[in-house]
Amino acid sequence: MLDLTAGYGMFLSDEHEMLRRTVRDFAEREVAPHIRTWDRSGGEHTEGPEDRPHIRPILKRMGELGLLGICIPQKYGGAGMDYLALAVVCEELERVDSFLRVVISVHTGLNSLSLFQWGSAEQKQRYLIPQAKGELLAGYCLTEPNSGTDAVAMQATARRDGDDYILNGEKIWISLADIADTFLVIAKTDPTKGARGISAFIVERTMPGVASYPLHGKLGMRAGNTGGLVLQDVRVPLANRLGEEGEGFKIAMAALDNGRYTVAAGATGLIQASLEASLKYAEERHSFGGPIADHQLVKRMISHMVRKLDTSRLLVYRAGWMKNQGQRNTRETTLAKWHATVSSFECADDAIQIHGAYGYSDEYPVERYLRNARGGIIYEGTRELQELLQADFALGRRISPPLRCELPAYDPTEWGA
């Protein structure tokens, strides 16, 4: 079979390819043989993380492999690789199942990279280092029951009380809600100031007043944990505020630049999975005297998958290269996320069509690919939002102004790779 990851030497080094093989071996050996069972059990109305006993051992193993801190400098407990390595990890994890990539998106992309970008020296020592080592698991809390894309409409509040803040509110659609040890929570410190009245906080699960609950009946990513987080008079020390007061909206949007990058990379891996499954089945399945791979319309679907795989991967790697250079990449990351997630759903849909009736059952993985792919078109910025952003960038109505704290450029010497 054609090597679907070849031809990207302009972006990737030998070390990246070694990483790809390591992650692929891990995912195929320790997850792929069990994922259908985990997905099936996750589709039932379970009560919490104890009903998914596979999660903690898998996350522990990911931590041991250095995947949870892959692009965090070694001095902060990470593997010291670059942002392109983060994309490679996400590709290979979602090639087997999306729930694995979601862990990286939330723990590393949304939370740990935010601490790396905005955190104080003390916050990095206390939280970033154990998170990069996999000793602590981290979540990200922006969405609420009545606010998603319109984040400024959030209702969670953080009221200053001496050297503390008192947090109240509810967050929903939180990955690792029942499992994470720490959360990056975005809340309003001054509801009269709109986006400038929002701040960010590091909240520990063990703080009094923090509670979580699981969400039931998800369409996809059933093997992972998703839920809500309730904050009731949670006292958070001033030292746990990330960035300055009123800077939370910028922090949240900067986090989404990293999160969308990981989602786009993962969607690229899902496209590859759909293509690989389709190539294999098209050669095995015979009709009208030969393999269905001989049929022109099947070839057409396969060729479209190839096109979408290469364009998605190139868009992701361009964004990763820009991150390595320390360049703002909101437009490029947004475009990659939009293109790759929509393409992953279309490719999974075509993969089901190629598999025929078998594609409609979980005897083959392509129906799971379709269910998982649908979420990516919604979370971390809907398809419609990405379209509007791209138009506004093209029209010159949107720019990416400098941030007080930029995401650090990759420095192999300083990062210790």
Side-chain angles (χ1 to χ4, degrees), residues 137-199:
L137 293 173
Y140 176 82
C141 302
L142 177 64
T143 300
E144 298 185 1
N146 293 309
S147 70
T149 300
D150 183 10
V152 179
M154 71 176 67
Q155 297 175 356
T157 60
R159 176 177 56 84
R160 183 71 179 266
D161 182 34
D163 290 334
D164 298 324
Y165 285 87
I166 309 299
L167 270 62
N168 282 281
E170 180 181 2
K171 301 293 182 175
I172 200 169
W173 296 110
I174 307 304
S175 297
L176 304 177
D178 296 310
I179 296 171
D181 301 293
T182 65
F183 301 91
L184 179 56
V185 176
I186 314 298
K188 285 186 175 179
T189 42
D190 188 341
T192 68
K193 292 184 178 179
R196 291 183 174 86
I198 295 172
S199 301

Side-chain angles (χ1 to χ4, degrees), residues 120-364:
S120 66
E122 190 276 333
Q123 289 169 344
K124 289 174 182 176
Q125 288 293 317
R126 185 173 180 182
Y127 296 107
L128 180 57
I129 289 177
Q131 287 177 193
K133 291 180 177 180
E135 297 168 355
L136 292 178
L137 293 173
Y140 176 82
C141 302
L142 177 64
T143 300
E144 298 185 1
N146 293 309
S147 70
T149 300
D150 183 10
V152 179
M154 71 176 67
Q155 297 175 356
T157 60
R159 176 177 56 84
R160 183 71 179 266
D161 182 34
D163 290 334
D164 298 324
Y165 285 87
I166 309 299
L167 270 62
N168 282 281
E170 180 181 2
K171 301 293 182 175
I172 200 169
W173 296 110
I174 307 304
S175 297
L176 304 177
D178 296 310
I179 296 171
D181 301 293
T182 65
F183 301 91
L184 179 56
V185 176
I186 314 298
K188 285 186 175 179
T189 42
D190 188 341
T192 68
K193 292 184 178 179
R196 291 183 174 86
I198 295 172
S199 301
F201 302 89
I202 303 168
V203 176
E204 300 177 15
R205 175 180 297 280
T206 56
M207 290 177 173
V210 176
S212 65
Y213 59 88
L215 289 173
H216 303 309
K218 293 183 297 180
L219 175 67
M221 284 169 282
R222 294 173 175 174
N225 171 250
T226 310
L229 195 75
V230 178
L231 307 166
Q232 187 170 3
D233 293 329
V234 179
R235 185 170 290 272
V236 178
L238 174 61
N240 279 40
R241 188 188 69 205
L242 186 64
E244 298 175 353
E245 184 168 305
E247 207 168 31
F249 186 78
K250 291 181 180 179
I251 292 172
M253 295 303 105
L256 288 176
D257 278 351
N258 299 322
R260 289 168 181 164
Y261 173 67
T262 64
V263 171
T268 302
L270 197 152
I271 295 171
Q272 180 163 337
S274 295
L275 176 55
E276 289 175 348
S278 298
L279 292 171
K280 184 174 185 294
Y281 189 81
E283 293 287 7
E284 294 173 350
R285 178 73 173 184
H286 284 63
S287 70
F288 301 101
I292 63 172
D294 291 339
H295 302 334
Q296 288 185 350
L297 292 180
V298 171
K299 288 183 177 180
R300 179 176 181 270
M301 287 186 280
I302 288 173
S303 70
H304 285 194
M305 290 186 202
V306 171
R307 170 174 56 86
K308 292 168 184 175
L309 175 62
D310 275 353
T311 53
S312 297
R313 185 170 279 139
L314 287 168
L315 287 171
V316 170
Y317 288 0
R318 177 180 67 166
W321 180 87
M322 293 178 70
K323 286 181 178 294
N324 281 349
Q325 307 308 309
Q327 299 178 14
R328 289 294 300 280
N329 51 86
T330 300
R331 185 188 76 85
E332 292 77 13
T333 299
T334 297
L335 182 60
K337 193 268 184 186
W338 172 30
H339 179 80
T341 55
V342 171
S343 296
S344 69
F345 184 76
E346 294 170 345
C347 291
D349 188 41
D350 279 345
I352 288 177
Q353 195 69 16
I354 289 171
H355 283 70
Y358 287 111
Y360 200 65
S361 77
D362 70 356
E363 182 175 348
Y364 288 85

